[in-house]
């Protein structure tokens, strides 16, 4: 059964490693699950799962393997038969609402409830429905099926209210799910290549300048004189331009990951980020929604972000050739009388280092993708994969 | 002194969290704690130390922290200076080895609780650099050829705000717990632990207002437990009449830290 659980975890996409599995075995050997399924659930989760984004997958795997396993070995088949009253469910739901919080005092202490449950299981010898003491359906004791008591023990069947053994079924962690093709970490690792050290920064002198110290000490007639210098800091400034056009929507998750990676890489001196629609014209938008008015002049960007900024353009370069070359511009925003092609040339003239990252770049030249080919000839273009990103970073750092 | 962790007077933990801590202690593995800011990740280590009657060593991680800082530092400059002025014992390098927080925890005569706070603040490679030390609970000082080995494996608690992803190899060695945001029942217990004599009406109104603000989707930085506690303290000191809390939302700046959020909430009320 446990091997099956391991397989189920991996089948649901949980990257459970053998070492973690062995740790779980060790924990079970030490009796840390205390023969309780709920405890086992938490124990397995804390050892096998390392991110709240994976909890939901784990819940599903767990449910698949242990559905109905709760107390199964302790409950006789006869008793389960008495409790199997699915046709009464609708009726019970109404009734249960009335009974909720009434009747027998609230049972919050699990141990006590379980204790009582076992006691009563020993004593019970017939079917009970609707009562308030024996284990049965639609009742208001702490045990049984379809009941309305909060904090009780459910015996088989579906959960009426979340309080009875409902951790797994509730799928509480569904919202945390985060299916990512590319690992954010891989992106961050690629961005680490963007380092250029400069000592001209306003920071205290905290590093020992060995050459300076030797020199000063010699001048000082052999008496030690320490010289400190400013630590080397990354001087790379980054300008990101994201295409937020309709054809980019399928890649929004990838864009988001890239964006996150840049923001989590806190080693840059400065990061500026703007959006555009299909191609760059006279305005750059401040938000991905590209709303009219919420923009800055592209020329303002040229003026204020000097040519040392390294520019990364992210877009699919998918547009009709006439859209790229027409001087009436695109339908969304003003173009300042210049075509997209001319704006791209201005961009290239202004900034020393520019790369274009394309999430759906063709593997080789495709004559029908005229705009992509043209832009690829103008600016170095790379496919937006970890490898492509690494190559692009190399181009950005080349002197 | 106990050998199992339990909720303390000031720190109320959920059943799962208690189990998490105890499993980590039993399996001798670091416990990695994640959760929304303000849900008491750092407080946990203090509570564990207090509950078990052990000393707490805190290693605060910053963006410039290196793994080596936690092990030891060789104070070469001090030695150089001492050498200049002919101080005694300059030839004894051990005098100039300063143990870091991890080293201190290993070298302690009795078992300690070691908190590595906000590990995600450091460089991406930082957790990987600590794998061996946390696994074997020992490290080697090259300068003195001495191996520092833990006399008693410290109980290691690591917190993360998920600012950076942690490497897989590191995660595999940890026990993981995600602190859920407390539901109203647990929250009430937590507040009562801090204010045993809180006025019933004030508590009820403040909690209701608090959970309502949290439920607004357009609030960017959702207030958390620590903010609620500060707020109730402010309401008590300010002598605010409980029935006016939900209408006026006094001292709103205590729970909301962004201008936009203050505006959003004011607008809704």
């Amino acid at each position: 059964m446990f091997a099956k659980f391991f397989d189920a975890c991996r089948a649901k996409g949980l990257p459970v490693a053998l070492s973690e599995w062995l740790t779980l075995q060790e924990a079970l050997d030490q009796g840390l699950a205390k023969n309780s399924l709920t405890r086992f659930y938490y124990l397995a989760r804390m050892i096998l799962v390392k991110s709240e984004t994976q909890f939901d997958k784990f819940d599903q795997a767990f449910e698949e393997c242990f559905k109905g396993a709760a107390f199964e070995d302790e409950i006789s088949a006869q008793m389960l038969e008495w409790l199997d009253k699915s046709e009464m469910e609708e009726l019970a739901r109404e009734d249960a609402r009335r009974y909720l919080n009434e009747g027998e005092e609230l049972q919050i202490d699990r141990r006590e409830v379980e204790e009582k449950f076992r006691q009563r299981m020993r004593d019970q010898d017939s079917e009970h429905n609707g009562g308030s003491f024996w284990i049965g359906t639609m009742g208001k004791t702490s045990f049984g099926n379809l009941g309305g008591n909060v904090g009780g023990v459910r015996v088989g069947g579906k959960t009426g209210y979340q309080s009875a053994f409902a951790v797994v079924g509730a799928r509480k962690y569904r919202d945390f799910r985060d299916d990512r093709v590319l690992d954010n970490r891989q992106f961050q690792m690629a961005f680490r290549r963007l380092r250029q050290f400069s000592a001209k920064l306003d920071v205290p002198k905290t590093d020992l300048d060995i050459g300076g110290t030797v020199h000063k000490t010699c001048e000082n007639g052999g008496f030690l004189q320490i010289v400190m210098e400013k630590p080397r800091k990354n001087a790379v400034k980054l300008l990101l331009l994201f295409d937020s056009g309709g054809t980019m929507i399928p890649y929004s998750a990838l864009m988001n990951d890239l964006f996150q990676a840049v923001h989590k890489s806190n080693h840059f001196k400065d990061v500026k980020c703007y959006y555009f629609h299909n191609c760059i014209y006279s305005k750059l938008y401040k938000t991905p929604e590209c709303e009219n008015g919420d923009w800055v002049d592209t020329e303002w960007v040229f003026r204020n972000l000097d040519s040392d900024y390294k520019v990364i353009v992210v877009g699919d370069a998918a547009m009709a050739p006439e859209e790229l070359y027409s001087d009436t511009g695109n339908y969304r925003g003003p173009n300042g009388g210049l075509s997209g092609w001319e704006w791209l040339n201005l961009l290239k003239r202004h900034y020393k280092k520019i790369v274009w990252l394309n999430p759906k770049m063709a593997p080789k030249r495709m004559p029908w993708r005229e705009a992509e080919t043209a832009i690829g000839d103008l600016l170095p273009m790379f496919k937006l994969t970890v490898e492509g990103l690494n190559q692009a970073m190399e181009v950005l750092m080349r002197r | 002194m106990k050998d199992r962790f339990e909720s303390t007077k000031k720190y109320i933990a959920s059943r799962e969290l208690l189990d998490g801590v105890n499993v980590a202690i039993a399996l001798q593995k670091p416990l990695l704690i994640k959760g929304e800011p303000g849900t008491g990740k750092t407080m946990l280590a203090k509570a564990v130390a207090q509950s078990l009657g052990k000393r707490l060593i805190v290693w605060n991680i910053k963006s410039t922290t290196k793994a080596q800082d936690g092990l030891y530092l060789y104070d070469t400059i001090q030695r150089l200076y001492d050498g200049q002025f002919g101080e005694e014992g300059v030839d004894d390098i051990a005098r100039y080895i300063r143990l870091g927080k991890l080293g201190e925890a290993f070298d302690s005569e009795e078992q300690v609780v070691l908190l590595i706070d906000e590990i995600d603040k450091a460089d991406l490679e930082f957790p990987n650099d600590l794998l061996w030390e946390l696994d074997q609970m020992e490290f080697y000082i090259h300068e003195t050829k001495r191996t520092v080995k833990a006399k008693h494996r410290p109980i290691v608690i690591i917190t993360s705000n998920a600012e950076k992803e942690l490497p897989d190899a590191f995660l595999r060695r940890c026990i993981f717990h995600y602190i859920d945001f407390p539901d109203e029942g647990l929250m009430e217990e937590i507040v009562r632990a801090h204010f045993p004599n809180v006025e019933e009406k004030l508590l009820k109104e403040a909690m209701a207002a608090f959970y309502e603000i949290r439920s607004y989707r357009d609030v960017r930085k959702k207030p958390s437990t620590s903010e609620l506690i500060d707020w109730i303290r402010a309401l008590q000191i300010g002598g605010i009449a409980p029935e006016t809390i939900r209408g006026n939302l006094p001292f709103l700046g205590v729970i909301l830290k962004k201008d936009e959020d203050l505006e959003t909430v004011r607008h809704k009320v």
Side-chain angles (χ1 to χ4, degrees):
Chain A
M1 182 167 204
F2 280 172
K4 190 181 131 208
F5 183 44
F6 181 69
D7 291 340
C9 284
R10 295 200 63 112
K12 295 281 175 211
L14 265 184
V16 179
L18 204 57
S19 62
E20 287 165 318
W21 191 250
L22 292 174
T23 307
L24 178 60
Q25 303 284 4
E26 190 192 327
L28 291 173
D29 284 347
Q30 288 195 26
L32 294 174
K34 301 201 173 60
N35 297 329
S36 140
L37 191 67
T38 308
R39 289 242 175 150
F40 172 73
Y41 166 81
Y42 284 115
L43 183 69
R45 197 179 75 180
M46 71 178 84
I47 292 172
L48 302 180
V49 188
K50 298 298 154 63
S51 168
E52 68 279 10
T53 56
Q54 312 267 3
F55 279 179
D56 188 51
K57 289 177 189 163
F58 176 80
D59 283 358
Q60 282 179 304
F62 189 87
E63 194 178 16
E64 194 178 294
C65 290
F66 298 103
K67 205 173 184 181
F71 304 106
E72 229 168 38
D73 43 335
E74 297 174 52
I75 302 159
S76 66
Q78 178 72 63
M79 201 177 274
L80 278 174
E81 198 183 304
W82 296 334
L83 291 170
D84 185 16
K85 291 282 181 287
S86 50
E87 75 276 9
M88 289 195 203
E89 209 170 318
E90 272 310 299
L91 189 70
R93 206 158 278 161
E94 274 171 34
D95 264 344
R97 239 162 248 143
R98 274 194 286 118
Y99 279 128
L100 189 64
N101 295 347
E102 289 176 16
E104 195 169 275
E105 75 283 3
L106 288 186
Q107 306 284 351
I108 301 301
D109 186 329
R110 275 197 73 86
R111 225 174 347 173
E112 197 187 317
V113 177
E114 281 176 29
E115 187 77 21
K116 269 195 194 171
F117 172 66
R118 286 203 184 83
Q119 177 63 40
R120 229 164 277 185
M121 227 166 47
R122 279 194 293 278
D123 298 346
Q124 183 163 2
D125 55 342
S126 66
E127 180 169 341
H128 291 265
N129 291 324
S132 69
F133 185 76
W134 294 111
I135 303 167
T137 59
M138 297 169 61
K140 51 197 163 76
T141 71
S142 297
F143 337 104
N145 203 356
L146 304 172
N149 196 305
V150 286
V153 175
R154 184 173 63 87
V155 185
K158 269 200 281 180
T159 322
Y161 286 89
Q162 299 239 320
S163 44
F165 206 85
V167 205
V168 179
R171 297 197 60 188
K172 216 166 125 195
Y173 296 96
R174 189 159 34 189
D175 289 348
F176 287 120
R177 267 192 98 118
D178 192 3
D179 291 308
R180 284 169 306 192
V181 186
L182 267 167
D183 197 345
N184 193 307
R185 197 179 151 80
Q186 292 173 306
F187 275 149
Q188 288 184 58
M189 293 303 285
F191 279 121
R192 293 177 62 119
R193 286 166 178 251
L194 288 183
R195 277 174 196 262
Q196 204 167 51
F197 291 107
S198 159
K200 292 181 216 151
L201 292 166
D202 276 339
V203 286
K205 294 179 175 180
T206 51
D207 283 7
L208 177 68
D209 176 3
I210 294 176
T213 303
V214 170
H215 189 75
K216 280 279 177 194
T217 305
C218 292
E219 271 190 351
N220 207 14
F223 275 97
L224 184 66
Q225 191 165 358
I226 302 261
V227 179
M228 304 296 275
E229 64 182 349
K230 290 175 183 175
R232 304 190 318 152
K233 274 275 167 66
N234 193 7
V236 167
K237 294 175 286 188
L238 208 56
L239 170 61
L240 289 164
L241 300 170
F242 282 100
D243 185 352
S244 183
T247 48
M248 287 295 285
I249 288 170
Y251 304 101
S252 57
L254 193 60
M255 295 298 104
N256 190 35
D257 236 0
L258 184 68
F259 186 79
Q260 297 287 338
V262 173
H263 273 257
K264 285 178 181 174
S265 307
N266 45 17
H267 63 268
F268 297 117
K269 191 177 174 206
D270 189 26
V271 179
K272 290 276 189 293
C273 190
Y274 296 104
Y275 302 85
F276 62 92
H277 192 264
N278 276 357
C279 191
I280 294 164
Y281 298 98
S282 65
K283 303 280 185 192
L284 288 169
Y285 300 87
K286 290 182 191 163
T287 59
E289 287 79 28
C290 291
E291 274 165 27
N292 275 358
D294 198 13
W295 56 35
V296 295
D297 287 331
T298 308
E299 285 178 315
W300 180 90
V301 172
F302 288 171
R303 272 199 311 275
N304 285 283
L305 307 183
D306 61 47
S307 59
D308 286 334
Y309 272 82
K310 295 181 189 300
V311 185
I312 301 177
V313 189
V314 189
D316 57 2
M319 59 200 112
E322 55 272 24
E323 193 182 343
L324 183 61
Y325 297 119
S326 156
D327 52 15
T328 53
N330 76 346
Y331 59 95
R332 276 196 80 125
N335 69 340
L338 297 174
S339 68
W341 177 251
E342 283 165 299
W343 277 110
L344 288 180
N345 273 293
L346 281 178
L347 184 76
K348 183 178 176 165
R349 235 173 291 152
H350 185 75
Y351 291 104
K352 292 176 196 156
K353 295 285 178 196
I354 307 178
V355 290
W356 187 296
L357 294 172
N358 189 339
K360 60 171 174 191
M361 190 168 131
K364 54 179 193 283
R365 285 179 104 83
M366 305 254 182
W368 57 90
R369 290 202 190 172
E370 204 179 308
E372 181 181 315
T373 312
I375 294 174
D377 285 344
L378 183 69
L379 303 168
M381 190 183 278
F382 301 93
K383 195 167 165 69
L384 183 49
T385 56
V386 171
E387 198 202 339
L389 190 61
N390 278 332
Q391 289 169 351
M393 296 304 111
E394 246 167 60
V395 169
L396 284 182
M397 292 313 294
R398 213 172 280 153
R399 290 187 186 246
Chain B
M1 195 155 94
K2 290 169 286 189
D3 56 349
R4 282 185 64 79
F5 170 53
E6 283 159 20
S7 288
T8 61
K9 246 189 214 148
K10 283 267 174 191
Y11 191 87
I12 308 294
S14 65
R15 184 80 243 155
E16 300 91 74
L17 179 55
L18 294 181
D19 280 353
V21 174
N22 289 319
V23 166
I25 295 173
L27 294 177
Q28 305 192 326
K29 287 188 183 289
L31 176 66
L32 174 66
I33 299 284
K34 277 207 301 193
E36 273 184 49
T39 39
K41 296 189 288 294
T42 306
M43 291 289 291
L44 172 72
K46 281 185 199 148
V48 171
Q50 202 184 5
S51 162
L52 302 178
K54 295 189 190 304
R55 189 159 71 96
L56 174 69
I57 294 179
V58 183
W59 185 14
N60 272 310
I61 307 298
K62 303 198 174 69
S63 63
T64 51
T65 305
K66 302 265 176 302
Q68 183 66 38
D69 301 347
L71 307 180
Y72 71 94
L73 286 174
Y74 174 24
D75 195 347
T76 43
I77 293 185
Q78 186 62 49
R79 186 159 182 242
L80 257 176
Y81 274 129
D82 285 358
Q84 286 279 301
F85 302 112
E87 289 268 324
E88 248 175 72
V90 176
D91 49 348
D92 179 14
I93 298 177
R95 275 187 49 170
Y96 300 96
I97 299 288
R98 315 248 182 277
L99 287 181
K101 294 289 179 189
L102 200 61
E104 205 182 307
F106 287 179
D107 212 34
S108 168
E109 287 302 328
E110 50 195 41
Q111 192 183 38
V112 297
V113 177
L114 173 68
L115 169 67
I116 303 180
D117 207 10
E118 308 199 35
I119 194 165
D120 53 328
K121 289 268 181 300
D123 191 82
L124 273 174
E125 289 301 333
F126 178 83
N128 277 339
D129 293 346
L130 284 177
L131 285 182
W132 167 267
E133 284 76 12
L134 286 178
D135 248 11
Q136 303 299 321
M137 291 288 171
E138 65 173 49
F139 61 89
Y140 181 71
I141 301 177
H142 296 277
E143 286 80 1
T144 55
K145 300 192 173 55
R146 172 186 167 213
T147 300
V148 178
K149 192 165 174 50
K151 297 184 178 100
H152 306 274
R153 265 184 107 90
I155 297 167
V156 182
I157 294 176
I158 301 168
T159 71
S160 164
N161 279 320
E163 272 186 25
K164 289 194 187 78
E165 318 272 321
L166 300 171
D168 280 347
F170 176 77
L171 289 175
R172 289 200 201 298
R173 288 165 168 83
C174 296
I175 303 294
F176 173 69
H177 183 81
Y178 180 82
I179 300 189
D180 279 312
F181 194 80
D183 58 17
E184 296 192 33
L186 186 60
M187 183 62 95
E188 203 182 311
E189 229 181 294
I190 294 170
V191 173
R192 280 183 199 284
H194 285 263
F195 309 104
N197 303 318
V198 68
E199 198 187 323
E200 286 303 316
K201 187 109 183 11
L202 185 129
L203 174 67
K204 234 175 110 197
E205 294 290 316
M207 294 250 308
F210 175 79
Y211 275 93
E212 196 180 325
I213 289 170
R214 265 188 69 88
S215 73
Y216 296 150
R217 288 209 86 108
D218 35 2
V219 170
R220 292 197 200 167
K221 192 186 168 309
K222 295 209 184 317
S224 61
T225 314
S226 55
E227 271 111 19
L228 176 64
I229 287 168
D230 288 346
W231 195 42
I232 290 180
R233 182 173 294 130
L235 292 172
Q236 280 184 326
I237 294 169
I240 303 294
E243 53 279 4
T244 64
I245 290 177
R246 257 197 282 184
N248 297 342
L249 295 176
F251 309 122
L252 198 55
V254 177
I255 38 178
L256 293 173
K257 306 290 165 68
K258 280 186 187 281
D259 284 351
E260 302 97 298
D261 290 347
L262 279 170
E263 221 164 273
T264 317
V265 172
R266 287 257 177 246
H267 192 71
K268 291 204 182 199
V269 173

